[in-house]
Amino acid sequence: MPGPAAGTAHAATTTDVVCLGESMVTFLPSQPGRLADVPSFGRGIGGAESNVACALAAAGHRAAWVGRVGADGFGDHLVETIAGYGVDTSAVRRDPGRPTGIYFRTATDRGAGAHEVAYYRAGSAASAMSPSNVSYGEVFAGRILHLSGITAALSADCLELLRELTAPRQGRPLVSFDVNHRPHLWRGGDASVLLELARRADLVFVGEDEAEEAWGIVGAEAIRAALPEPAVVVVKRGSAGATVFSGLRPGPRSSNAGGAEDAAAGTGSGDTVTVVPALHVDVVAAVGAGDAFAAGFLSATLRGLPVRDRVRHGHLMAAAVLTVPGDLTEPPARDHADRLAALDDGAWGRLRLGPGWTAADRAPEEVRTS
């Protein structure tokens, strides 16, 4: 992926995807171990929505990130770094009275018992986002608006903003919503609000595990039953792959999706169920995969690809991130990814992707198989 470049990315004539949410400066450990024992940290960036924007820009789409950062050096670093990936940051606002959020984490997998994260985001500039200080014209400027449940957990104002952005209205683009349930953000709060927001979206990404943890709902079919309104529901099932429910749904939806809604919704009544197995990946670090999956799926949606190929592009984009240490990386070249996504089911099932697999534009038969 290209390195950071100073300045702000120039606004494109037509934006494909606008991503709204908090981005933070991430401090990555120089070695494994407890936070108490790590002697030094390297600096990076982290944020579900900005990760999606960066991945989409790297994949050749016009992506914008809308957020709020402090008038401080960390805010400078975030804006300059995200813009350096080719993302339009012209709608990012600076808050002179609140700091940019930061966090520290250990090198272990997020799901491991020894994993530690120390967040310093309470009272951050992003937590002050609200319907009164976010421009709807800028947020609704793309064919797709991508949001996540993380923003809803930051403050009452942020929750109200997401309720406003997901409400049916004239000019609303297709709304993509990644549930992104983070239990530590909902301590003392009611995560059931994520179900409310998801039901107001057009395209929903949700993991089986987080649906059970946040809502007590078990299984892909039960998740779809709880989310009857969205045109597309993508249920992520870990190593089992993903199940997609797609079909036109009743009730008022987006009124101006710029063509993307038709690509996402399909053309028939009722659901089409598409099950796509996950790839075999030699994982280096299990961070950023969910954001990369969403970016790959959205990229293929914008291109009007079939549902199966949208999921496969999601898996391929996730595999690119899983085989590097950080949250962001250069995705596979589009024609390379297209060839892999077009493999028959048997060849797809034999793929095994490890570090460096995106570096060369290799033919499918040259990719290592298990």
Side-chain angles (χ1 to χ4, degrees), residues 241-300:
T243 298
V244 182
F245 299 89
S246 54
L248 295 176
R249 314 305 297 172
R253 310 306 304 158
S254 306
S255 55
N256 182 22
E261 184 174 12
D262 290 339
T267 57
S269 59
D271 270 336
T272 298
V273 181
T274 307
V275 179
V276 182
L279 287 163
H280 301 287
V281 179
D282 296 332
V283 176
V284 172
V287 292
D291 304 330
F293 179 91
F297 191 97
L298 291 174
S299 172

Side-chain angles (χ1 to χ4, degrees), residues 274-277 279 296-297 299-301 303 305-317 332-349 351 353 357 361-365 367:
T274 307
V275 179
V276 182
L279 287 163
F297 191 97
S299 172
T301 296
R303 296 170 60 202
L305 299 184
V307 171
R308 185 206 69 168
D309 291 359
R310 295 179 210 173
V311 181
R312 286 188 171 188
H313 276 277
H315 285 322
L316 289 165
M317 193 83 85
R334 181 172 288 185
D335 58 349
H336 184 193
D338 282 344
R339 287 202 304 274
L340 295 180
L343 292 174
D344 61 49
D345 290 346
W348 175 264
L351 284 179
L353 304 180
W357 75 271
D361 188 14
R362 291 177 285 187
E365 62 270 15
V367 177

Side-chain angles (χ1 to χ4, degrees), residues 147-233:
L147 307 168
S148 95
I150 293 173
T151 305
L154 298 181
S155 68
D157 283 342
C158 284
L159 173 56
E160 184 59 30
L161 173 62
L162 259 63
R163 282 180 166 140
E164 289 284 328
L165 295 179
T166 56
R169 67 175 68 231
Q170 181 66 33
R172 192 189 95 170
L174 182 147
V175 172
S176 165
F177 183 74
D178 191 336
V179 171
N180 248 330
H181 176 241
R182 297 289 183 264
H184 66 273
L185 291 176
W186 291 98
R187 290 171 185 155
D190 183 5
S192 66
V193 71
L194 296 176
L195 184 60
E196 169 200 333
L197 295 171
R199 293 184 64 176
R200 294 153 68 106
D202 303 293
L203 165 59
V204 175
F205 300 96
V206 58
E208 274 191 322
D209 55 347
E210 61 186 349
E212 181 175 3
E213 186 172 24
W215 308 327
I217 298 172
V218 179
E221 291 77 13
I223 292 170
R224 177 47 158 170
L227 295 169
E229 295 88 355
V232 178
V233 174

Side-chain angles (χ1 to χ4, degrees), residues 22 68-70 93 95 98-101 121 123-129:
E22 180 173 34
R68 195 172 181 87
V69 299
R93 299 292 180 259
D95 190 324
R98 292 171 177 264
T100 303
R121 73 196 309 178
S124 69
S127 70
M129 289 190 294

Side-chain angles (χ1 to χ4, degrees), residues 22-62:
E22 180 173 34
S23 191
M24 295 180 291
V25 174
T26 310
F27 288 93
L28 308 173
S30 58
Q31 64 184 45
R34 302 183 309 154
L35 286 178
D37 300 326
V38 175
S40 60
F41 295 81
R43 185 178 65 174
I45 65 171
E49 300 84 4
S50 58
N51 284 348
V52 172
C54 289
L56 284 166
H61 297 283
R62 298 183 177 96

